[in-house]
Amino acid sequence: MTVSVKVEDGSKLELAQNLASVLGVPLAEAEECHSEYQVVFSTEKTTLRRYAKGKSIESYVDFVSGAKAHRRKFGGGKGQLIAKAVGLNKASRLRILDATAGMGGDAFVLASLGCSVTMAERSPIVYELLRDGLSRAGEYAEHSDPELLTIIKRMHLLASDSLELRSERLCDSPQVVYLDPMFPLRTKSAEVKKEMRFFHDLVGADDDSDSLLEVALNLAENRVVVKRPKTASFLAGKEPDYQLAGKSNRFDIYPIKAFEK
């Protein structure tokens, strides 16, 4: 897989240069792209484009419209399985560390339910897509959607490998650590959602995900929640205290009282 960085908005030149430096690639200058993936800093948003067979498709983080906005409005509130998994009730406001932030979907759900969510993301590209999505959502919400602005202000982004996270890097000790490590794809590309295909290509399977559980158990005050495909093995082979299962995924719950810190 090859990646390049292109800037179309001069005001974002420094951001593009920083990302290119981290990735060890030059800024693309020509209109034609010779890499499979390209991060494009445009005036409207930052996108990840994939080029194949003469065509391009793109992915970006959107908290204002689309699937994330629809789930915010019609997802079922605190009756959702994820809310039950982290231990939300009618009165609770939890501090959550999403140690595998990805494209921010679950973090946004939890923030919309009143939680304060710190998102840790180690991929420089995914981090930049998330940073841009949060920035755009904040700018829009400040003028048009006070409720969304409140949600975005509950979301805090860290450029960090969660395996290296220590409590001193966090403003507040998390009550819950949430893990959704990457799982190998088992279906052909045509059957996989665009965003998921992009994400797998960029970060690959989280081969070190078993080590995340031990880190999480040392950081969380109340519980660790691991999202897994319904038939997947337990993370690190450690059986949870209990599970909540949906149609295709399940949540493995590890109360901290059951483990020695």
Side-chain angles (χ1 to χ4, degrees), residues 4 20 29 33 43-44 54 59 65 74 80 83 98 120 135 180 208:
S4 61
E29 297 180 358
C33 177
T43 302
E44 183 182 353
S59 183
S65 59
F74 307 108
Q80 297 176 73
D98 183 347
S135 177
D180 181 13
D208 53 4

Side-chain angles (χ1 to χ4, degrees), residues 226-239:
V226 182
K227 183 179 180 181
R228 299 290 278 165
K230 199 169 183 179
T231 59
S233 58
F234 299 131
L235 206 59
K238 192 182 291 286
E239 186 173 352

Side-chain angles (χ1 to χ4, degrees), residues 86 94-98 110 115-118 174-178:
V86 299
L94 294 174
R95 299 186 306 275
I96 296 178
L97 169 63
D98 183 347
L110 293 167
C115 300
S116 174
V117 186
T118 298
Q175 294 164 302
V176 179
V177 176
Y178 181 82

Side-chain angles (χ1 to χ4, degrees), residues 17-261:
Q17 288 174 331
N18 288 342
L19 180 60
S21 176
V22 170
L23 297 176
V25 300
L27 284 178
E29 297 180 358
E31 284 297 316
E32 185 177 359
C33 177
H34 299 285
S35 60
E36 184 180 1
Y37 284 93
Q38 187 169 63
V39 184
V40 181
F41 291 79
S42 68
T43 302
E44 183 182 353
K45 57 184 176 286
T46 299
T47 62
L48 176 66
R49 295 177 186 167
R50 181 176 187 268
Y51 296 86
K53 299 179 180 180
K55 297 181 180 180
S56 68
I57 54 177
E58 66 177 28
S59 183
Y60 55 92
V61 173
D62 184 5
F63 295 115
V64 177
S65 59
K68 292 182 177 68
H70 185 272
R71 186 172 177 184
R72 166 194 161 199
K73 296 175 181 177
F74 307 108
K78 291 184 179 179
Q80 297 176 73
L81 213 57
I82 189 174
K84 296 177 181 178
V86 299
L88 270 176
N89 56 46
K90 291 182 179 179
S92 62
R93 294 290 186 269
L94 294 174
R95 299 186 306 275
I96 296 178
L97 169 63
D98 183 347
T100 51
M103 299 294 269
D106 287 341
F108 184 65
V109 170
L110 293 167
S112 71
L113 298 176
C115 300
S116 174
V117 186
T118 298
M119 302 175 290
E121 178 51 52
R122 64 181 174 182
S123 164
I125 294 175
V126 178
Y127 171 87
E128 187 54 44
L129 294 176
L130 264 177
R131 187 209 59 77
D132 175 70
L134 288 168
S135 177
R136 285 185 290 103
E139 291 175 3
Y140 167 83
E142 191 169 1
H143 299 97
S144 306
D145 192 336
E147 181 183 352
L148 177 60
L149 183 61
T150 300
I151 294 170
I152 295 300
K153 286 183 175 180
R154 296 191 190 115
M155 301 172 70
H156 314 282
L157 181 59
L158 286 178
S160 177
D161 186 334
S162 292
L163 287 172
E164 300 173 0
L165 268 181
R166 300 293 182 267
S167 57
E168 56 266 23
R169 281 210 64 190
L170 305 172
C171 296
D172 295 299
S173 178
Q175 294 164 302
V176 179
V177 176
Y178 181 82
L179 302 175
D180 181 13
M182 189 64 64
F183 199 72
L185 291 176
R186 294 181 177 178
T187 55
K188 297 178 181 179
S189 58
E191 300 169 327
V192 177
K193 290 182 179 180
K194 171 185 64 178
E195 183 176 284
M196 189 60 68
R197 170 59 57 189
F198 277 19
F199 202 60
H200 271 80
D201 283 355
L202 281 177
V203 305
D206 286 329
D207 295 328
D208 53 4
S209 60
D210 282 351
S211 302
L212 272 177
L213 183 57
E214 192 63 35
V215 173
L217 290 169
N218 285 321
L219 286 173
E221 290 184 0
N222 297 348
R223 67 176 68 184
V224 173
V225 176
V226 182
K227 183 179 180 181
R228 299 290 278 165
K230 199 169 183 179
T231 59
S233 58
F234 299 131
L235 206 59
K238 192 182 291 286
E239 186 173 352
D241 254 38
Y242 62 99
Q243 299 174 307
L244 295 175
K247 291 182 179 179
S248 57
N249 298 311
R250 69 171 197 266
F251 295 96
D252 295 342
I253 294 108
Y254 301 83
I256 294 304
K257 64 178 177 57
F259 299 89
E260 292 184 5
K261 293 280 271 184

